[in-house]
Amino acid sequence: MGFDIKKIRADFPILKRTVRGKPLVYLDSAATSQRPRQVIDALSSFYENHNANIHRGVHALAEEAEALVEESRAKTARFIGAPKPETIVFTSNTTHSINLVAQGWGRKNLKPGDEVLITELEHHSNLVPWQRITEETGALLRYVPIEEDGTLTVEAARKAFSPKTKMFAFTAMSNSLGTVLPVKELIDLAHANGALTLVDAAQWVPHLKTDVAAWGVDFLAFSPHKMLGPTGLGVLYGKFDLLDAMDPIMSGGGMIQEVHYDRSTYAPPPHRFEAGTPNIADTAAFGAAIDYLEAVGMDAIHAHEMELTQRALEILEPDEFVTVLGPQKIEDRGGVVSFNIDDLHPHDVGQVFDSEGVAVRVGHHCCQPLMRKLGIGGTARASFYLYNSLEDVEAFARGLSKVKEFFKVGVPVKVS
Ligand code: PMP
């Protein structure tokens, strides 16, 4: 397909709509992405042509539905460089994937005095599950500290390991500050210290090429809804032997091998972790999202996002009333820009942007401890994806001027 922004935008029906009388400028893809016609069609095609429950179905529709789900599993494995489809567990979101590991692995393997290491950058989804399982098992939760600009160094991580560290769970890219972490080095460091790794790749897989085999990562979690796919679906990649040694946290139909009145045995991964009727339609449609991203190319997508990020930073950074949070160097960033304007509340900022048709996210971005550490209540955040254009960034610049005008930022208050 190559990178043709006009053609890409034409594939996203929602980009044709207006918001508050202005063309929609969607700068909130870090929360959830928009979907191209191809994914929407795949979803309705599933319901129109193939809908049936899966698992041991012998009729044609059941076989077709199962084949579509397994095809998406195989595509997902290929997309992230996983060795085989059986290493891909479908969950309901990144949060579910991380909980599955925290409980399924943690309950079996953490003992009092053991340590789980995370970072100060984590989304609540990669923090609270570890708080809970360490409390439950008597293990200790420790944090790798970040630098002042929201970057995280391998050196800081090295100092945080101890012989008792059993798991290092960290975000590949911060959803709130845009920091991109040195993922491979951190994984190698954890392994050298005898710890397993879980990478929260919710903000990585949609935007950057992923190769779990080259990384050697033990577990990886991400959400299709942030990468053109449907909501209500999550992915957990795990090394097969680790998944095979893990207990399910949900049990019932679909995850068993044999059930007796007094005992049960479980199916091998991935089905052991997919109890009950799964999200069949969304899983089937997810395959179309992967096809779309692969046709455009992840390197081209990343290059495009960084061009937009660069332009947004050129607008924000010289403005004396704007504070840009996160890495100083663009090389340490992905396509997320968090900022505050003067002493304005981010919600007020977001509302004025919205009145201009520009959708930005505001608040703590599910990173309350990080906001507390930075001494702020929240930020306004613009995040970019393949369908955003340079015109979107110019609309963002106009929104910024509107905010300053509306709240009279920089206008001295007259005292009479
Ligand atoms: N981790 C990160 C870094 C995220 O950005 C998000 C979504 N904002 C999550 C975890 C949680 O994803 P989900 O809501 O799909 O479970």
Side-chain angles (χ1 to χ4, degrees), residues 107-392:
R107 205 166 278 151
K108 220 171 169 179
N109 291 285
L110 291 172
K111 297 182 303 298
D114 283 347
E115 292 175 9
V116 170
L117 189 60
I118 64 175
T119 83
E120 289 181 339
L121 283 170
E122 300 311 315
H123 187 285
H124 297 162
S125 292
N126 196 32
L127 193 161
V128 185
W130 299 112
Q131 266 177 349
R132 293 191 67 199
I133 196 64
T134 50
E135 264 170 29
E136 194 181 305
T137 56
L140 214 73
L141 182 59
R142 301 191 56 210
Y143 293 81
V144 181
I146 51 168
E147 305 302 302
E148 224 167 86
D149 72 346
T151 51
L152 185 135
T153 67
V154 177
E155 204 36 51
R158 183 168 299 143
K159 287 188 194 140
F161 277 94
S162 92
K164 293 186 168 166
T165 313
K166 293 289 183 310
M167 170 66 79
F168 182 29
F170 63 94
T171 187
M173 177 180 151
S174 156
N175 64 302
S176 56
L177 301 182
T179 316
V180 169
L181 277 77
V183 179
K184 171 73 175 143
E185 287 95 319
L186 292 174
I187 292 166
D188 289 347
L189 180 67
H191 288 162
N193 281 277
L196 293 180
T197 48
L198 177 143
V199 170
D200 173 354
Q203 298 294 343
W204 180 291
V205 173
H207 305 283
L208 287 140
K209 207 172 246 169
T210 308
D211 189 340
V212 291
W215 278 352
V217 66
D218 300 292
F219 298 104
L220 183 104
F222 60 100
S223 290
H225 72 86
K226 293 185 197 282
M227 48 189 291
L228 316 184
T231 49
L233 186 66
V235 177
L236 173 68
Y237 158 80
K239 282 183 180 162
F240 188 83
D241 291 350
L242 290 172
L243 289 175
D244 200 30
M246 251 165 66
D247 285 335
I249 59 172
M250 287 252 292
S251 42
M255 52 74 72
I256 52 87
Q257 198 148 42
E258 252 185 42
V259 177
H260 302 263
Y261 280 126
D262 60 346
R263 78 201 126 86
S264 305
T265 52
Y266 309 138
H271 298 105
R272 183 188 305 168
F273 305 104
E274 297 177 355
T277 299
N279 190 341
I280 305 165
D282 290 323
T283 308
F286 179 41
I290 294 178
D291 291 344
Y292 194 95
L293 291 172
E294 282 184 333
V296 179
M298 295 309 292
D299 289 340
I301 291 172
H302 182 59
H304 175 70
E305 288 170 6
M306 292 320 291
E307 189 188 348
L308 303 181
T309 304
Q310 168 103 45
R311 180 72 196 115
L313 290 171
E314 281 166 13
I315 291 161
L316 291 168
E317 280 179 341
D319 191 317
E320 60 177 312
F321 299 104
V322 172
T323 310
V324 177
L325 293 110
Q328 298 283 308
K329 290 189 278 178
I330 193 157
E331 303 84 72
D332 293 331
R333 281 185 174 275
V336 166
V337 181
S338 244
F339 60 98
N340 276 315
I341 305 175
D342 207 26
D343 56 357
L344 298 179
H345 195 288
H347 281 89
D348 294 335
V349 172
Q351 271 180 359
V352 178
F353 271 107
D354 182 57
S355 69
E356 293 297 300
V358 180
V360 296
R361 184 140 299 245
V362 294
H364 54 63
H365 314 295
C366 294
C367 294
Q368 285 182 355
L370 175 61
M371 295 295 129
R372 219 168 278 127
K373 183 186 166 83
L374 298 173
I376 53 178
T379 73
R381 180 189 74 185
S383 54
F384 304 109
Y385 210 6
L386 71 166
Y387 40 71
N388 290 121
S389 62
L390 277 168
E391 289 75 38
D392 285 350

